[in-house]
Every structure is written in C-alpha cells, then in structure tokens.
Amino acid sequence: MELLIATNNAHKVEEFKRLFAGLGIDVFSLKEKGISVEIEENGTTFAENAYIKAKTIYDLVKAPVIADDSGICVDALFGAPGVYSARYGGEGLDDKGRTALLLKNMEGVKDRSAHFACAICYIDALGKRHDFYGECQGTIGFSPKGENGFGYDPVFMVGEKSFSELSGKEKDQISHRGKANEKLLAYMKGETGHDQ
Ligand code: ITT
C-alpha cells in the first residue's frame, strides 16, 4: 500500500517515515511525488486543519492520504499557541524565533505545564475520512536544550529532558504524533486484517 503524507514540513515527513518503517506501507512525501501546493489552514481545531490538508491532497491524487495538524498548548497562556503554533509571532519568525518568543511570554510564569497535540486525518482509498488524536504532557523549560527534532522541541520538557535531547525513536514512543499514529496503525491493522 502507498500512503501520501500531506505536509510541507520535512521534519514531520522524517518522523512519519520512521513511524511507518518496516510495516509494509510505502510512505511518500508531497515533495517526492512532485506535488507543491500552499493550503490555507483556516480551521479552528487541529482536527479541522488536518482534514483540510488531507482532503485538498486527496482531491488531487484520489489515493490514500494522511495529514497531521499539531501544536503546543501552554496552560498559562490559555492554550496558546495551539493551532497557531506554526504562525506564532507572525510570518517573519522561524523555529528559533518562535521558541524565543514563547520563552519570553513565559518569563516569570510559575505554572509551566503544557502539552503537544496532534490530529491525524487519514482519507482512505475510497475517500472516507478517519480521525486520530494524540497528546503528550510536559512543561516549558527556561532555555532551549538539545539539538534533535524541530519546532518547539528544545523547550518542551518531559521530566529532566527536552524533546530535543531525546533520540528520534525515544520521542516517537511518547510524542503526540507517535500516539496519534499508534491509533492510526491500529485502525489500519483492522482495515487490512494484518499487522501494519
Ligand atoms: P504542514 O501544515 O505542511 O504539515 P506545518 O509545520 O505548518 O506543516 P502545522 O500547521 O501542523 O504544520 O504546525 C505545527 C507547528 O507546531 C510546527 O510548525 C511546529 O512549530 C509545532 N510542532 C508540531 N509538532 C511538533 C513537534 O513534534 N515538535 C516540535 N514542534 C512541533
């Protein structure tokens, strides 16, 4: 089975390729299939945005697609940046800039609890939509730590370590994306009648 990942984020592609490795599903990125589209993510929930991305690409290829919409939700910031994680602080900022802004907005804040959230939308070969969701609880650190991962990983602490201080495989075992994907794989296993 071929599965297309409807994302322009190379880090997500890398994580999904790892999560599907050895399961008999050939995972392709949009780039690998020569598809280049800017999709307006105007939903207000992770699930809505994941569906918008998956449906846009499904309509182009009419083949199985998954999309991921994810972000970091900080309790003391009333859930921000949340669905706006990729656009936090506006267009001019990169991962480092957004992370620095988050740390600035958390200056002097005692309650540092936060979670990463991930909605995966799978549209199957027949065009039917399936939604999966995963979360990972943690805290916001006081400075960036570690070199691995992407986005807010350097400031997202799970215990003593940031996501960026974990190996990819260690992150997969506890991450929001890993958990949502586990549910997707369990669904696919039922769909095909064998392990995926
Ligand atoms: P696509 O929409 O093309 O998939 P994107 O990067 O714009 O790519 P989102 O709209 O889902 O993806 O935004 C998610 C943002 O949340 C992402 O850019 C990161 O800043 C952050 N994020 C999500 N998952 C993360 C993770 O595992 N580690 C660190 N940051 C993450």
Short mmCIF file of all heavy atoms in Angstrom, two decimals, residues 18 136 148 158 161-175:
data_model
loop_
_atom_site.label_atom_id
_atom_site.label_comp_id
_atom_site.label_asym_id
_atom_site.label_seq_id
_atom_site.Cartn_x
_atom_site.Cartn_y
_atom_site.Cartn_z
N ARG A 18 9.77 7.26 9.85
CA ARG A 18 10.30 6.42 10.94
C ARG A 18 9.16 5.60 11.56
O ARG A 18 9.30 4.42 11.83
CB ARG A 18 10.93 7.34 11.98
CG ARG A 18 12.00 6.72 12.83
CD ARG A 18 12.80 7.79 13.52
NE ARG A 18 11.98 8.66 14.33
CZ ARG A 18 12.20 9.97 14.47
NH1 ARG A 18 13.19 10.55 13.85
NH2 ARG A 18 11.41 10.70 15.23
N CYS A 136 0.86 14.75 24.32
CA CYS A 136 1.99 14.46 25.21
C CYS A 136 2.11 15.60 26.23
O CYS A 136 2.23 16.76 25.83
CB CYS A 136 3.29 14.33 24.40
SG CYS A 136 4.72 14.00 25.44
N ASN A 148 18.29 17.78 18.70
CA ASN A 148 17.44 16.97 17.81
C ASN A 148 16.07 17.61 17.60
O ASN A 148 15.71 18.57 18.26
CB ASN A 148 17.25 15.56 18.39
CG ASN A 148 18.58 14.86 18.60
OD1 ASN A 148 19.52 15.10 17.85
ND2 ASN A 148 18.66 14.01 19.61
N VAL A 158 10.11 16.87 29.08
CA VAL A 158 9.40 15.72 29.62
C VAL A 158 10.33 15.20 30.72
O VAL A 158 11.38 14.63 30.44
CB VAL A 158 9.16 14.65 28.54
CG1 VAL A 158 8.43 13.46 29.12
CG2 VAL A 158 8.36 15.24 27.40
N LYS A 161 14.45 16.01 30.63
CA LYS A 161 14.98 16.19 29.28
C LYS A 161 14.02 16.90 28.36
O LYS A 161 12.80 16.71 28.47
CB LYS A 161 15.31 14.82 28.66
CG LYS A 161 16.58 14.20 29.19
CD LYS A 161 16.93 12.98 28.36
CE LYS A 161 18.25 12.41 28.80
NZ LYS A 161 18.59 11.18 28.06
N SER A 162 14.56 17.67 27.43
CA SER A 162 13.71 18.28 26.40
C SER A 162 13.52 17.24 25.28
O SER A 162 14.30 16.30 25.16
CB SER A 162 14.36 19.54 25.84
OG SER A 162 15.39 19.19 24.93
N PHE A 163 12.49 17.44 24.47
CA PHE A 163 12.29 16.57 23.30
C PHE A 163 13.55 16.55 22.42
O PHE A 163 13.86 15.55 21.79
CB PHE A 163 11.10 17.06 22.47
CG PHE A 163 9.80 16.30 22.70
CD1 PHE A 163 9.70 15.29 23.64
CD2 PHE A 163 8.68 16.59 21.93
CE1 PHE A 163 8.51 14.58 23.82
CE2 PHE A 163 7.48 15.89 22.10
CZ PHE A 163 7.40 14.89 23.04
N SER A 164 14.25 17.69 22.38
CA SER A 164 15.45 17.77 21.54
C SER A 164 16.63 16.98 22.10
O SER A 164 17.62 16.77 21.42
CB SER A 164 15.88 19.22 21.35
OG SER A 164 15.03 19.86 20.45
N GLU A 165 16.52 16.58 23.36
CA GLU A 165 17.59 15.77 23.97
C GLU A 165 17.29 14.27 23.85
O GLU A 165 18.09 13.45 24.28
CB GLU A 165 17.79 16.17 25.43
CG GLU A 165 18.36 17.57 25.58
CD GLU A 165 18.48 18.02 27.03
OE1 GLU A 165 17.46 18.02 27.74
OE2 GLU A 165 19.60 18.36 27.44
N LEU A 166 16.13 13.95 23.28
CA LEU A 166 15.79 12.54 23.07
C LEU A 166 16.20 12.13 21.66
O LEU A 166 16.25 12.97 20.75
CB LEU A 166 14.27 12.32 23.22
CG LEU A 166 13.62 12.72 24.55
CD1 LEU A 166 12.13 12.41 24.51
CD2 LEU A 166 14.29 11.99 25.71
N SER A 167 16.44 10.83 21.46
CA SER A 167 16.65 10.35 20.10
C SER A 167 15.29 10.36 19.41
O SER A 167 14.24 10.44 20.08
CB SER A 167 17.21 8.93 20.11
OG SER A 167 16.21 8.04 20.58
N GLY A 168 15.29 10.25 18.08
CA GLY A 168 14.03 10.21 17.34
C GLY A 168 13.12 9.10 17.86
O GLY A 168 11.92 9.31 18.07
N LYS A 169 13.70 7.94 18.04
CA LYS A 169 12.89 6.79 18.49
C LYS A 169 12.33 7.00 19.88
O LYS A 169 11.20 6.61 20.18
CB LYS A 169 13.71 5.50 18.43
CG LYS A 169 13.79 4.98 17.02
CD LYS A 169 14.30 3.56 16.96
CE LYS A 169 14.15 3.07 15.52
NZ LYS A 169 14.94 1.90 15.22
N GLU A 170 13.13 7.61 20.76
CA GLU A 170 12.64 7.90 22.12
C GLU A 170 11.47 8.88 22.06
O GLU A 170 10.48 8.73 22.77
CB GLU A 170 13.77 8.48 22.98
CG GLU A 170 14.78 7.45 23.44
CD GLU A 170 16.02 8.07 24.07
OE1 GLU A 170 16.36 9.24 23.77
OE2 GLU A 170 16.68 7.36 24.85
N LYS A 171 11.60 9.88 21.21
CA LYS A 171 10.50 10.86 21.06
C LYS A 171 9.24 10.16 20.55
O LYS A 171 8.14 10.36 21.07
CB LYS A 171 10.93 12.00 20.12
CG LYS A 171 9.81 13.03 19.90
CD LYS A 171 10.19 14.15 18.94
CE LYS A 171 8.96 14.99 18.59
NZ LYS A 171 9.20 16.02 17.58
N ASP A 172 9.41 9.32 19.52
CA ASP A 172 8.25 8.62 18.92
C ASP A 172 7.44 7.86 19.96
O ASP A 172 6.22 7.77 19.86
CB ASP A 172 8.71 7.60 17.88
CG ASP A 172 9.34 8.24 16.66
OD1 ASP A 172 9.18 9.46 16.48
OD2 ASP A 172 10.00 7.52 15.89
N GLN A 173 8.14 7.27 20.94
CA GLN A 173 7.44 6.41 21.92
C GLN A 173 6.49 7.19 22.82
O GLN A 173 5.52 6.63 23.31
CB GLN A 173 8.47 5.67 22.79
CG GLN A 173 9.02 4.45 22.06
CD GLN A 173 10.24 3.88 22.74
OE1 GLN A 173 10.59 4.27 23.86
NE2 GLN A 173 10.92 2.96 22.08
N ILE A 174 6.76 8.48 23.01
CA ILE A 174 5.91 9.25 23.94
C ILE A 174 5.24 10.45 23.28
O ILE A 174 4.40 11.09 23.90
CB ILE A 174 6.74 9.74 25.16
CG1 ILE A 174 7.94 10.56 24.70
CG2 ILE A 174 7.18 8.58 26.03
CD1 ILE A 174 8.65 11.28 25.85
N SER A 175 5.60 10.74 22.04
CA SER A 175 5.14 12.00 21.45
C SER A 175 3.67 11.94 21.06
O SER A 175 3.07 10.88 20.86
CB SER A 175 5.98 12.37 20.23
OG SER A 175 5.56 11.63 19.10
#
